[in-house]
């Protein structure tokens, strides 16, 4: 898609250029604009006589002018009034003056009326005004008022409340206020843990993702309430794409830049839950690509911290937490390498039309290459999948697909064209791209 947009853009610039050249040829060389009954382009900075009809051509972005038609005098009058450009001997303005005075009077009256209305509306607004904080407390109270047994009649208002919360709790202060007022215990936890309605669980996990994103204090509270293992439970058991996506979003928001939570959650059920999503035959590729993206991000996060805090003594404790984190070994223990290999080997035909997803998988393959290259380099299924997608994209006109095909070429070369596999080079001379 990117490449396509790029070419469209160039094309429109070229057309614009051609029009400008065309316009210059018919221009009066002395620099003065000579108006006719037809639209003509006004050159940059060129002076034009008064009383013409002027417009901006929306297709070219150029200013154009022509002489007025009889039917257009009304419009012209308006621009003359605004620009004080009417000639003394121009009869038009006199003809139309009564109308203008009437019109102005009408508008003044209208303004007075709307001012009174405005005051009234403002008073109303003040009366009903709630700060975000008041609104959040009210939403929590409303939630406490819902009956304990699930009622179909309450579902719509529950979903609406959650949607409002998702919006409000992006703000760090709002999220903390929600937590301080018992929102995790009274609103989110009962839904995520016990509710049988999938739509409600999805909404609640969206709220959770919203409040924990980039909010370290909220992340700690969410972690303390043990949401990590509840989310892992949902990931392991759900076959619903929307639910998996919402759970992954919340899971990622809880784990990112929080090595203690990563340590506790990923060393127990967390890693297993992620890999289970990859292994499930019922889960669609898009959800699987979100899983590998989260895995890849967490692996990179540790690498990045270890690299950047090497020479920073004040980062010692952060670094220590990441050093203890053994996410890669847990991935290996729970079968990440063969799981990813299988996803691609089985589903690669679906990847042919989804370059964004291929890119996500390619990034994950690169990030975890050192962990898995021993098994991946022996996998003929993976090799066939990657080369098929690579070859398809390499023959595309689309710049983005071409980019992705180059990433795949390099990956294939590293995985399958190692010197010890010389026979592969003769079978597939294209792998070096
Ligand atoms: C250019 O404008 C001048 C001044 O209005 C006029 O005398 C002349 O005839 C115009 N030339 C053309 C080619 O339109
Ligand atoms: C909750 O219920 C109580 C008692 O019925 C009521 O006074 C209160 O206004 C309700 N709160 C909300 C937010 O609906
Ligand atoms: C979930 O349901 C069980 C059984 O009814 C209950 O004991 C537990 O407290 C509930 N958990 C939450 C978080 O509501």
């Amino acid at each position: 898609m990117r490449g396509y947009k790029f070419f469209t853009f160039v094309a429109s610039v070229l057309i614009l250029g051609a029009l400008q050249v065309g316009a210059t040829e018919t221009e009066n060389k002395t620099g003065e604009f000579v108006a006719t009954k037809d639209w003509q382009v006004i050159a940059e900075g060129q002076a034009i006589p008064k009383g013409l009809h002027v417009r901006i051509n929306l297709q070219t972005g150029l200013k154009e002018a022509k002489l007025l038609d009889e039917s257009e005098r009304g419009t012209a009058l308006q621009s003359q009034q605004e620009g004080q450009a009417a000639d003394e001997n121009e009869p038009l303005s006199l003809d139309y003056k009564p109308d203008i005075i009437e019109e102005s009077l009408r508008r003044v009256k209208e303004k007075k009326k709307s001012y009174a209305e405005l005051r009234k509306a403002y008073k109303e607004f003040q009366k009903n005004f709630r700060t975000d904080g008041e609104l959040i407390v009210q939403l929590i109270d409303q939630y406490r008022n819902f009956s304990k047994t699930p009622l179909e009649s309450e579902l719509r208002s529950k979903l609406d409340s959650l949607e409002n919360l998702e919006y409000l709790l992006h703000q760090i202060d709002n999220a903390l206020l929600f937590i301080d007022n018992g929102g995790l215990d009274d609103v989110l936890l009962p839904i995520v843990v016990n509710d049988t309605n999938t739509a409600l669980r999805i909404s609640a996990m969206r709220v959770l993702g919203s409040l924990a994103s980039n909010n370290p204090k909220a992340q700690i509270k969410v972690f303390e309430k043990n949401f990590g293992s509840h989310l892992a439970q949902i990931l392991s058991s759900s076959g619903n794409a929307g639910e998996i996506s919402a759970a992954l979003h919340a899971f990622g928001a809880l784990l990112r830049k929080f090595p203690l939570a990563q340590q506790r959650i990923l060393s127990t059920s967390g890693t297993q839950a992620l890999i289970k999503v990859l292994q499930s035959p019922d889960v669609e590729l898009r959800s699987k690509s979100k899983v590998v993206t989260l895995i890849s991000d967490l692996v990179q996060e540790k690498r990045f911290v270890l690299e950047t805090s090497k020479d920073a003594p004040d980062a010692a404790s952060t670094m220590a937490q990441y050093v203890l984190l053994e996410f890669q070994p847990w991935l290996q223990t729970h079968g990440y390498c063969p799981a990813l290999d299988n996803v691609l080997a089985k589903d690669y035909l679906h990847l042919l039309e989804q370059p964004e997803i291929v890119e996500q998988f390619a990034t994950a393959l690169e990030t975890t290459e050192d962990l898995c290259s021993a098994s991946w380099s022996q996998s003929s299924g993976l090799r066939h999948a990657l080369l098929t997608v690579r070859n398809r994209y390499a023959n595309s006109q689309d710049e983005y697909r071409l980019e992705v095909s180059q990433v795949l070429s390099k990956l294939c070369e590293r995985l399958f064209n190692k010197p010890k596999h010389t026979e592969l080079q003769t079978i597939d001379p294209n792998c070096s791209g």
Side-chain angles (χ1 to χ4, degrees), residues 137-146:
V137 171
Q138 194 190 11
L139 286 167
I140 296 174
D141 280 346
Q142 190 189 340
Y143 231 95
R144 289 186 178 121
N145 270 5
F146 287 129

Side-chain angles (χ1 to χ4, degrees), residues 141-155:
D141 280 346
Q142 190 189 340
Y143 231 95
R144 289 186 178 121
N145 270 5
F146 287 129
S147 63
K148 293 298 161 219
T149 49
L151 286 181
E152 194 62 31
S153 57
E154 287 176 344
L155 184 60

